[in-house]
Amino acid sequence: MKANQIHTGTFVNQKEVIAVELTNTKGTFVKLFNYGTIINQFVVKNAQGEWQDIVLGFDDIEGYLSEEYLANYPYFGSVIGRYANRIKNGEFTVDGISYQLAQNAGSDCLHGGTEGLDKKVWDIIELHHGINPSVTFQYFSLDGEEGFPGDLAIQLKFTLTENDELILAYQADTDEATPVNLTHHSYFNLSKNGEGIQSHYHQMNASQWLAQDDNYVVTGELLPVAGSLHDFRTGKRIAEGWDSENGYDQSYLLDKNYNDLTLASRTHADDSGLVLAVYTTEPVAHFYTAKYLDVKNGKGGKSYGSFDAFCVETQHAPNSINIPSFPTTVLQPEELYQQTTIYKVEVKK
């Protein structure tokens, strides 16, 4: 029932980074930064009645700005855009005009380019106190930013409910046809002691997954999960039968009606009893078990490595701007982009 702003005294591109704290009547607590709309803390009560932070990150904003962190940058807890995941060769065509983006992941464009929405200081345009506290951030991405056409006005509202749901409600509009595919990139660990996520139990409502090339770019081919290590429909331990060297870094086509708000995944840890359920209006969830994670001096001085967290990134299919058979990600000037994702925390009975 609280929504507080805290000045950090840290400036990025002459704009101050502000922390926003949301607290419900149970004491569940979320801390966000207006830099990249980072989810810095998500503190919930586990089955033993202990308070537990379920997201990876740093103790303060300086950690997210350090050269060491940015050199092997995992996008801790940040918004991703204008376009989530990879675009093949950083190229696309809209209305007969070809555009070239930064090639910041080999020959491909990753997560919106060199300086995407994750590295911008957003404006705080509304704070709501009382039951279900919320904050709304806004950013104007100008025509040509990172190579994308059109001025894009984006709002992202975070609401913390009495049911321990963190609701992310996105909307955007443009003055020119442009591809838009937004997501959020929190790294979750539900274990009491922050141990690896191999023993977490994960269930994903997806009968198909999206084939990728050697650089993790979606090709357009849909593959059945049945009979493969990608079958999470009835749930299993993350490490059960997996490729122990690579883990998971794949996109899954959710079993749902387009645009309906439905359950994408449920993940729980035995030792804490915590369950994270992810609901979304988006058609795809990208499941990543953090193979490439290598961060020093995280929260409390802890280092984070491979398989210390998992991500469920709700979005449209990566590279779908180049795959005509997939639902369009082109936003037209007369349209309003909208999507909702919910992180709901429960205690397993």
Side-chain angles (χ1 to χ4, degrees):
M1 57 187 300
K2 295 179 180 178
N4 297 324
Q5 293 188 69
I6 301 171
H7 293 272
T8 68
T10 297
F11 288 78
V12 176
N13 295 329
Q14 301 180 319
K15 296 184 69 173
E16 187 180 10
V17 178
I18 304 293
V20 177
E21 297 178 341
L22 306 178
T23 309
N24 68 16
T25 58
K26 297 178 180 179
T28 299
F29 171 80
V30 173
K31 182 179 178 182
L32 307 135
F33 290 116
N34 65 332
Y35 174 76
T37 74
I38 287 171
I39 301 174
N40 171 242
Q41 295 182 60
F42 194 165
V43 180
V44 298
K45 189 173 285 188
N46 63 26
Q48 292 77 36
E50 303 162 336
W51 292 107
Q52 182 179 329
D53 190 352
I54 62 171
V55 295
L56 275 56
F58 296 97
D59 291 326
D60 51 44
I61 187 60
E62 282 71 25
Y64 298 92
L65 304 174
S66 72
E67 291 184 10
E68 181 181 20
Y69 170 68
L70 294 173
N72 189 28
Y73 181 50
Y75 302 84
F76 267 171
S78 63
V79 67
I80 300 296
R82 291 188 187 187
Y83 209 94
N85 212 298
R86 289 162 175 80
I87 295 176
K88 184 66 176 176
N89 295 323
E91 299 174 336
F92 64 88
T93 299
V94 174
D95 293 341
I97 302 174
S98 296
Y99 297 90
Q100 179 65 60
L101 309 177
Q103 294 168 302
N104 61 324
S107 61
D108 305 312
C109 182
L110 174 66
H111 289 337
T114 305
E115 190 174 295
L117 302 179
D118 54 288
K119 293 190 176 77
K120 305 299 185 183
V121 179
W122 293 50
D123 295 319
I124 298 171
I125 62 170
E126 186 177 16
L127 275 178
H128 171 71
H129 304 273
I131 300 297
N132 300 334
S134 67
V135 58
T136 303
F137 299 106
Q138 181 171 266
Y139 179 72
F140 290 100
S141 180
L142 297 178
D143 180 34
E145 186 171 281
E146 287 298 320
F148 289 93
D151 293 336
L152 186 71
I154 312 157
Q155 290 186 6
L156 176 50
K157 180 179 181 180
F158 293 84
T159 303
L160 179 62
T161 75
E162 289 301 292
N163 295 320
D164 291 343
E165 299 165 314
L166 183 61
I167 303 173
L168 284 64
Y170 306 72
Q171 70 175 44
D173 60 78
T174 182
D175 63 354
E176 186 177 342
T178 190
V180 180
N181 191 17
L182 307 178
T183 192
H184 223 267
H185 209 306
S186 284
Y187 285 72
F188 294 99
N189 187 310
L190 306 178
S191 174
K192 282 176 59 175
N193 301 313
E195 299 171 349
I197 49 82
Q198 290 93 329
S199 65
H200 281 37
Y201 195 87
H202 183 72
Q203 184 259 331
M204 180 90 76
N205 292 329
S207 298
Q208 295 176 297
W209 64 286
L210 282 62
Q212 301 173 154
D213 67 16
D214 290 340
N215 199 35
Y216 301 101
V217 181
V218 166
T219 65
E221 183 182 6
L222 297 176
L223 302 173
V225 301
S228 78
L229 58 85
H230 298 288
D231 193 350
F232 288 98
R233 288 175 296 175
T234 59
K236 62 179 180 177
R237 304 291 176 186
I238 288 176
E240 181 183 333
W242 75 343
D243 176 345
S244 59
E245 181 180 347
N246 295 303
Y248 291 94
D249 194 355
Q250 282 84 26
S251 293
Y252 293 80
L253 182 64
L254 299 172
D255 295 336
K256 60 178 296 181
N257 294 321
Y258 191 70
N259 280 336
D260 284 356
L261 180 62
T262 59
L263 179 69
S265 67
R266 286 175 61 88
T267 312
H268 80 257
D270 291 334
D271 63 348
S272 68
L274 289 176
V275 179
L276 178 70
V278 180
Y279 297 81
T280 188
T281 56
E282 293 296 275
V284 165
H286 189 86
F287 183 49
Y288 176 49
T289 53
K291 171 188 176 179
Y292 297 106
L293 189 58
D294 182 13
V295 173
K296 305 296 189 293
N297 299 313
K299 292 177 182 177
K302 181 177 175 62
S303 293
Y304 304 120
S306 298
F307 314 127
D308 277 346
F310 69 94
C311 307
V312 178
E313 305 159 52
T314 55
Q315 57 194 267
H316 274 56
N319 196 41
S320 53
I321 184 64
N322 291 314
I323 304 173
S325 60
F326 283 4
T328 184
T329 52
V330 175
L331 181 68
Q332 299 291 341
E334 66 275 10
E335 297 173 338
L336 181 66
Y337 172 95
Q338 291 181 297
Q339 69 125 307
T340 300
T341 291
I342 301 173
Y343 301 131
K344 180 176 174 59
V345 181
E346 305 166 321
V347 175
K348 187 174 178 62
K349 305 299 185 183

